[in-house]
Amino acid sequence: MLSSIPPGAHGDPYTHYYERPPLPDDAYWGHAPSHHAGEYVYPGRAVLMLPGRPWAESPERCTNADPLANDWYGYDADCEATVLVCRRCGLDVT
């Protein structure tokens, strides 16, 4: 879903047009890179930060170019997974 979100609405210092999915408990959004595995990242996408779950790489240096090599995190009231992230760097690819 696209929406116009004012600067700082999600803790970001810039305007983005991506409505982030609900987070799992104790999770938060990390930095929002401009590139992932050498490809452009849509403004507003960020790294999912989970307690006790370090990511092997940063999005800018990620070697995961496989669009299917991702993991789901978090579940809503209907037991639907909410956040799809790169399994190497944690970038939101929902």
Side-chain angles (χ1 to χ4, degrees):
M1 177 185 301
L2 296 177
S3 66
S4 180
I5 302 172
H10 291 284
D12 296 325
Y14 61 90
T15 302
H16 58 78
Y17 300 99
Y18 171 67
E19 186 174 324
R20 293 181 177 158
L23 291 174
D25 291 340
D26 298 327
Y28 61 96
W29 293 115
H31 80 283
S34 59
H35 291 87
H36 172 254
E39 299 292 325
Y40 173 79
V41 173
Y42 191 77
R45 301 241 180 222
V47 174
L48 178 66
M49 304 304 291
L50 298 166
R53 174 59 167 101
W55 301 112
E57 300 174 350
S58 69
E60 296 85 356
R61 295 180 180 215
C62 189
T63 57
N64 180 10
D66 180 356
L68 300 178
N70 304 305
D71 292 319
W72 285 100
Y73 290 91
Y75 292 92
D76 64 13
D78 297 323
C79 292
E80 299 275 331
T82 57
V83 183
L84 183 65
V85 300
C86 171
R87 67 176 56 146
R88 296 283 308 154
C89 68
L91 180 68
D92 172 22
V93 295
T94 306

